[in-house]
Amino acid sequence: MPTRHILARAARRAATPIAVRPLALSAASLRASALGSASASASSSITSVNSTPSRTRRCLHTTVQENEEGAQSAAEMKVKKAEAAASFQDPYTRYTYLVNTGVLRPDEHQKGIIKKLNRLYDDLVDYDPGTIPPIESVEPSFFGKFFTKTTTDYKPTVARDDVPKGLYLYGSVGTGKTMLMDLFHSTLPRQFGPGSKYGSKRIHFHSFMIEVLQRQHKLKAQYAAEGDEKRDVMPEVARSIAEDGRVLCFDEFQVTDIVTAMLLRSLLERLTDFGVVIVITSNRHPDDLYINGIQRESFIPAIDLIKETFQVVDLDSGTDYRKIPRTLTKVYYSPLNEETSTEMDKLFHGLASADPDPEIKLGRKLPLWGRELTVPESSGHVARFSFDDLCNHPLSAADYLEITGTFPTVFVEDVPKLTLSERDQARRFITFIDACYENKTKLFISSAKPIYSIFSDEGGSAFDDDQIKHMSDLGINTDVVGSSSLFSGDEELFAFARCVSRLTQMATKEWADENALAHRDSTPKDV
C-alpha cells in the first residue's frame, strides 16, 4: 500500500475520539461522577506526504502509541464497569466499593451497620416466601352478623419463625438512614429485584400509609355496594401489598396519628403471614413511637410486635452527614418587600421559560381522591403557590405529595412569621417540607423573616438544651432560629428540628444536584 494511504488511514484513526460512556456507581441516590472520555488528536503527529522517512516513522510510531493508549484506556474502563457491576453483589461489597471510589466517607460505625444489612441479605439469598393464598370469607352466624364484621380466613405462606427477621434502623437526622436504605434495596438478591418473581418496594412510610388507606377505602366501598358493610378488609389489603413485593423498605417510619397507630399491628401481622420481610428507618426507637399519643396504650402491642420481629439498630455515631455539604445556593429570600417580589417573579418566569413545557397556566387542576387540587400558576414542571394557598386550607400530606410528585420545582411565596394563632398552618408547612424532601423537590421561598426563624417567639423558649444543641450541630445559628411555643409535644418538637434540618439541606448545591438527577428527564435547565 502506498505510503500516503498508510498515513491517511493513521490520521483518520488518530483523529477519531475514543468515547467512554459515563459509569453510574450506584442505583437511586448512590450516584457518582461520570468518568471522562479519552481522545487522541492527529494534528500534532501527522506530517505531510513529503516528510522524510525518519519523520514518517516517528509519526507512525506516535500514532500507534496513541492508539495503544486508547485501547488500554478502553480496557481499563471495561474493568471498572465490571467492578462496578460486581459491587452490587451484596451490601458490604457495595459499601466497600463506594468507599474505595471516594463516593462515601469511611466510617467504622456505619461499617458495622452494613454488616447487619449483610446478615439480612444472607438470610434472603435462599428465602422462598411461597405463593400467596386466596382470601376466603367466613360468614358470621345469623345473629352475629348484626354485631360483628364478616371475617376472613387464609393460610400463612410461611411459618412466622421462618420469616427472616427484619431491620429497624433508627437515628437522628443526618445519620445516613436513607443512604443505607437505598444501598440495601439496590443490592437485594435476584428473586426480589426489579421484574423478579417476588419483587420488592422502597417507599416513604407516609406515602405507604396513604396507599394503605386508599386500598382499604376502595375495598370497603366495593363490599358496601354488595351489602357487606362490616367486612374486615385488612387481610385483602395486606395480600395486595404483598403481591407488589415481598421485601418492603419503609423510609421515615413514624406514627403521629391514631389511625396509623390502630392499623399498624394488624397490618404488620398479616404482612408477616404472607412472608413479607420489612426494613424500616426511623428517627425514633420503637419505645418512643407515638409518645403521648391519644390512646397510646392501644398501640403498645404494635411496639411489642416490632421489637419481636425486627432487629433494632441504633445508627447514631456522632457524625452528622448533613453537615458535610456546606455550599449554599440562593433559594430563600426575605424580607417581604418589592425587591424580593421582583426577584421571585424573575426566577419563576426564567425557570418556566426554560421548561420543556413552558406554557404558564393559571388554575391548573390536579385530580386527587375523586376531587381536584388547584395549582394557581404553573408551567409543565414549575409550580407557584402562596403560603395561603398551601397552608390556610385543609390540605393533607396526600395533597402535598401529589404537588411535589408532579412538579420538580416549587415556589412558595409570602410565608409569614408564625405565632400561636397559626399553629395549624405551621404544622401544614412542616408536612409540606417533608413532602418536598421525599420527592427531592427544588424549593424557592420568600418569607417575612429568614426562613429558619419563622417559627420563633420574640422571647422565652420551648426548647430544651438537647434541642438547641441539635440545631447548633446542624450548623444553624440558634439566635436566628430562636425558640417557639408553637409546638408542645415531643413529636412536634422533633418535627420542627427535622424541618429546620431539611430546609438547610435543601439550600445546598448538593441538593440542587440531587434534584437534577432525580428529575433529569423532565426538569428545565438552570437559568
Side-chain angles (χ1 to χ4, degrees):
M1 182 181 294
T3 301
R4 65 178 184 277
H5 291 169
I6 295 174
L7 291 173
R9 179 180 293 179
R12 286 195 299 271
R13 287 179 178 173
T16 303
I18 302 172
V20 180
R21 295 179 61 188
L23 171 63
L25 294 180
S26 64
S29 63
L30 301 175
R31 300 181 177 94
S33 299
L35 294 172
S37 61
S39 64
S41 173
S43 60
S44 62
S45 59
I46 301 300
T47 59
S48 67
V49 178
N50 296 325
S51 302
T52 62
S54 61
R55 291 185 63 191
T56 301
R57 285 195 297 272
R58 285 198 302 271
C59 164
L60 292 173
H61 175 75
T62 302
T63 302
V64 171
Q65 184 179 9
E66 288 175 346
N67 285 335
E68 287 176 348
E69 289 174 353
Q72 184 179 2
S73 176
E76 289 174 353
M77 182 60 67
K78 193 172 183 179
V79 170
K80 287 180 179 179
K81 285 184 178 180
E83 289 175 350
S87 74
F88 284 97
Q89 178 181 339
D90 59 66
Y92 191 81
T93 302
R94 184 67 186 155
Y95 177 79
T96 302
Y97 175 81
L98 293 173
V99 169
N100 290 341
T101 53
V103 177
L104 297 179
R105 295 161 59 95
D107 184 313
E108 284 303 312
H109 180 79
Q110 205 169 66
K111 194 174 182 179
I113 306 300
I114 296 294
K115 290 180 179 178
K116 297 180 189 298
L117 292 174
N118 236 59
R119 185 277 305 167
L120 179 54
Y121 172 89
D122 291 339
D123 290 346
L124 289 172
V125 168
D126 297 317
Y127 175 56
D128 185 350
T131 303
I132 303 176
I135 305 292
E136 298 178 358
S137 299
V138 178
E139 296 291 337
S141 65
F142 176 77
F143 292 103
K145 67 182 179 180
F146 296 104
F147 306 101
T148 63
K149 294 181 179 180
T150 302
T151 58
T152 52
D153 186 35
Y154 60 89
K155 293 181 180 179
T157 61
V158 60
R160 286 192 181 183
D161 290 343
D162 294 333
V163 178
K165 200 165 191 175
L167 281 173
Y168 184 103
L169 310 173
Y170 77 96
S172 57
V173 293
T175 51
K177 297 186 294 294
T178 300
M179 182 280 292
L180 290 168
M181 174 71 80
D182 287 339
L183 187 148
F184 176 77
H185 187 254
S186 69
T187 57
L188 283 170
R190 185 166 305 185
Q191 71 269 33
F192 301 105
S196 60
K197 180 178 180 181
Y198 296 122
S200 62
K201 194 169 187 177
R202 183 254 190 251
I203 187 170
H204 190 278
F205 184 68
H206 211 69
S207 301
F208 172 74
M209 286 309 300
I210 290 173
E211 189 176 314
V212 169
L213 292 172
Q214 286 176 329
R215 296 187 191 209
Q216 186 183 43
H217 174 77
K218 182 178 179 180
L219 284 170
K220 281 187 174 182
Q222 176 185 322
Y223 287 118
E226 297 172 1
D228 190 1
E229 296 181 0
K230 296 184 178 181
R231 184 184 180 93
D232 178 15
V233 300
M234 188 50 67
E236 291 171 85
V237 171
R239 187 183 190 281
S240 67
I241 292 168
E243 286 179 329
D244 287 346
R246 300 297 191 91
V247 175
L248 297 180
C249 297
F250 296 144
D251 199 18
E252 297 288 355
F253 183 87
Q254 56 181 320
V255 182
T256 57
D257 60 86
I258 187 65
V259 174
T260 302
M262 295 301 98
L263 284 178
L264 207 51
R265 179 180 173 86
S266 173
L267 181 62
L268 290 176
E269 284 181 337
R270 285 164 173 76
L271 288 174
T272 303
D273 286 341
F274 295 132
V276 175
V277 178
I278 301 173
V279 179
I280 287 173
T281 70
S282 177
N283 295 318
R284 298 287 197 181
H285 185 281
D287 287 335
D288 295 329
L289 290 170
Y290 199 49
I291 202 79
N292 299 325
I294 299 172
Q295 299 180 28
R296 187 176 188 269
E297 64 279 0
S298 301
F299 183 62
I300 299 298
I303 293 175
D304 293 337
L305 178 65
I306 289 171
K307 292 194 291 186
E308 176 187 340
T309 56
F310 290 84
Q311 181 182 6
V312 179
V313 180
D314 185 357
L315 296 180
D316 287 319
S317 66
T319 301
D320 187 342
Y321 290 96
R322 290 189 190 172
K323 283 184 66 179
I324 295 169
R326 301 300 299 170
T327 306
L328 299 182
T329 59
K330 183 68 171 175
V331 293
Y332 305 141
Y333 296 82
S334 65
L336 297 177
N337 55 26
E338 186 176 347
E339 182 182 351
T340 295
S341 178
T342 301
E343 185 65 21
M344 292 292 281
D345 195 63
K346 183 175 70 173
L347 279 168
F348 172 73
H349 286 282
L351 285 167
S353 66
D355 194 328
D357 181 8
E359 181 185 358
I360 294 177
K361 295 183 179 180
L362 302 180
R364 185 192 301 264
K365 304 294 184 182
L366 294 181
L368 181 70
W369 286 50
R371 57 187 175 84
E372 290 184 329
L373 181 68
T374 301
V375 182
E377 191 173 6
S378 62
S379 63
H381 302 87
V382 184
R384 190 180 192 182
F385 297 86
S386 69
F387 178 85
D388 180 75
D389 296 325
L390 290 173
C391 301
N392 282 334
H393 299 277
L395 301 183
S396 67
D399 298 290
Y400 298 140
L401 286 167
E402 181 68 21
I403 290 168
T404 57
T406 303
F407 300 101
T409 301
V410 175
F411 283 68
V412 183
E413 299 182 49
D414 302 329
V415 178
K417 188 176 184 305
L418 299 170
T419 64
L420 282 171
S421 61
E422 292 91 19
R423 186 190 295 269
D424 289 343
Q425 290 92 325
R427 289 168 175 160
R428 290 190 190 112
F429 184 73
I430 288 173
T431 303
F432 171 72
I433 296 302
D434 286 343
C436 290
Y437 189 84
E438 167 63 14
N439 283 318
K440 297 193 181 302
T441 303
K442 191 170 186 178
L443 194 61
F444 293 88
I445 297 177
S446 67
S447 55
K449 297 285 185 180
I451 191 63
Y452 307 117
S453 64
I454 62 168
F455 302 112
S456 64
D457 293 335
E458 295 299 331
S461 176
F463 301 114
D464 58 27
D465 291 341
D466 287 340
Q467 286 283 344
I468 293 172
K469 181 180 182 301
H470 177 67
M471 293 175 203
S472 179
D473 288 344
L474 289 170
I476 300 165
N477 186 332
T478 53
D479 293 333
V480 174
V481 175
S483 58
S484 177
S485 56
L486 277 168
F487 312 113
S488 53
D490 287 344
E491 288 294 339
E492 287 185 319
L493 289 173
F494 194 91
F496 165 79
R498 186 181 65 229
C499 179
V500 173
S501 169
R502 289 180 169 179
L503 283 167
T504 303
Q505 186 179 359
M506 287 191 283
T508 63
K509 181 181 181 299
E510 286 79 4
W511 182 262
D513 292 341
E514 285 189 41
N515 166 270
L517 281 170
H519 307 285
R520 57 187 167 187
D521 295 329
S522 60
T523 49
K525 298 172 290 184
D526 289 336
V527 294

